[in-house]
Amino acid sequence: MAELTGKPAAKFRVERYDPAAPERPAEERWVSMSNALTRAGHGLTLAEKRIIAHAASKLDSRRPLAPGEVPQTHLTAAEYAETFDVDLTTAYEALQSAAKTLYERSITFYEAAHRRRGTSLSLAKVQMRWVGSVKYHETEGWVELHWWPALLPHLTGLKKQFTSHQLKQASALRSVYSWRLLELLTRFGSTGRAEYTVEDFAASMDATEKQQADFAAIRRKIIEPAVRELVEKDGWQIEWKPIKAGRKVKAVRFDFSRDPQGQLL
């Protein structure tokens, strides 16, 4: 299956996009990440996901960083409130809570650890942090993220094998599962079909161990609510079905499109 490699539509939009343009409304900023990061488990609550995504939208995803360069990203409660349509009190609470927890959040990747005669023998579990430090100013209501160095190649200097979506697409979502599904589908935006093994899908969606062992729970708690919210709030048309091997569900397939009226350039 062909992956979204940032072209033609996504690449065109990202090339036109200046992350530093002050006149660009915050909710219309682009969030770009490598496909490897898109597939990974993000380990974030909804509020943390919002903060990370908003901060990532302030990075220039096209520009490679100089050796040793580690950007710091500033986000205010007022920006958070405006982008995600919440009151200032809620925004202050979200930033304060994230300042306490974001440093402990990790991203989980799985990659081939050993190969013999060109065949992968096992997978290695790789974890890294989102940030190296978090600074929060309670009185002024802002948070400053110091990105984790090993993560930055997944957010900056992206030329191929990346996924982009507008922050505005996810701003109305009230479930982190919906946001993660949006990212997983957008990765295959050029084909309109995405298929994941149950194990890969569950890991990407940060499903609990109990949910991973019960596809009915994944369907009820994750897939159906996430599909419903994307259809209702972001103009998606999604049909999905489980792929079985015998009686056991081995994979999930999504056929999808998105209303062009909902895609802002």
Side-chain angles (χ1 to χ4, degrees):
M1 183 179 294
E3 293 186 355
L4 176 66
T5 59
K7 61 183 183 181
K11 185 175 182 180
F12 173 71
R13 290 170 184 154
V14 172
E15 286 179 346
R16 289 181 54 189
Y17 169 58
D18 179 4
E23 71 277 5
R24 193 80 178 188
E27 71 274 9
E28 293 181 11
R29 293 180 174 274
W30 287 88
V31 181
S32 298
M33 64 181 73
S34 71
N35 285 341
L37 180 55
T38 301
R39 294 193 305 268
H42 286 189
L44 301 170
T45 66
L46 178 62
E48 292 163 351
K49 179 70 174 172
R50 287 171 165 176
I51 290 169
I52 287 289
H54 201 307
S57 76
K58 294 188 174 187
L59 298 174
D60 188 340
S61 63
R62 301 162 300 175
R63 184 180 71 86
L65 298 177
E69 181 181 359
V70 180
Q72 304 168 13
T73 307
H74 192 87
L75 176 65
T76 68
E79 289 177 288
Y80 184 101
E82 180 180 2
T83 300
F84 301 110
D85 193 25
V86 299
D87 58 52
L88 269 176
T89 299
T90 300
Y92 274 99
E93 291 173 350
L95 265 59
Q96 185 176 41
S97 175
K100 297 177 181 178
T101 58
L102 265 178
Y103 177 75
E104 302 298 332
R105 301 303 188 196
S106 62
I107 308 158
T108 303
F109 297 84
Y110 290 89
E111 61 183 30
H114 303 286
R115 299 182 70 85
R116 182 179 299 156
R117 296 178 182 176
T119 301
S120 297
L121 300 181
S122 61
L123 293 178
K125 182 178 181 179
V126 181
Q127 291 184 293
M128 70 174 68
R129 298 183 188 273
W130 285 97
V131 294
S133 65
V134 182
K135 184 185 298 183
Y136 174 68
H137 196 292
E138 183 174 1
T139 303
E140 296 184 6
W142 53 257
V143 66
E144 186 175 81
L145 307 183
H146 296 231
W147 295 97
W148 190 252
L151 174 66
L152 289 168
H154 295 280
L155 298 174
T156 61
L158 302 176
K159 302 299 182 184
K160 60 181 180 179
Q161 299 300 314
F162 67 89
T163 299
S164 297
H165 70 275
Q166 278 188 308
L167 187 60
K168 184 174 183 178
Q169 283 185 247
S171 62
L173 301 179
R174 295 296 182 263
S175 166
V176 72
Y177 291 141
S178 303
W179 199 325
R180 291 295 290 126
L181 183 59
L182 181 153
E183 292 171 335
L184 293 177
L185 298 187
T186 300
R187 178 184 164 215
F188 293 99
S190 61
T191 65
R193 170 171 287 188
E195 185 171 321
Y196 292 90
T197 66
V198 170
E199 292 78 11
D200 286 347
F201 182 79
S204 296
M205 299 296 281
D206 294 312
T208 65
E209 289 187 12
K210 184 177 181 179
Q211 289 171 337
Q212 291 180 34
D214 181 6
F215 182 77
I218 292 177
R219 177 176 191 147
R220 184 175 65 256
K221 298 291 187 179
I222 298 177
I223 299 177
E224 290 178 344
V227 167
R228 183 165 55 248
E229 188 168 36
L230 288 180
V231 169
E232 293 175 353
K233 294 183 178 179
D234 196 39
W236 291 75
Q237 294 181 342
I238 303 173
E239 294 183 0
W240 76 275
K241 65 179 180 179
I243 307 300
K244 292 185 176 182
R247 294 184 177 182
K248 187 175 181 180
V249 177
K250 291 293 187 179
V252 286
R253 178 184 298 163
F254 298 87
D255 290 286
F256 61 92
S257 61
R258 184 166 174 262
D259 182 357
Q261 298 300 318
Q263 299 183 38
L264 303 178
L265 296 180

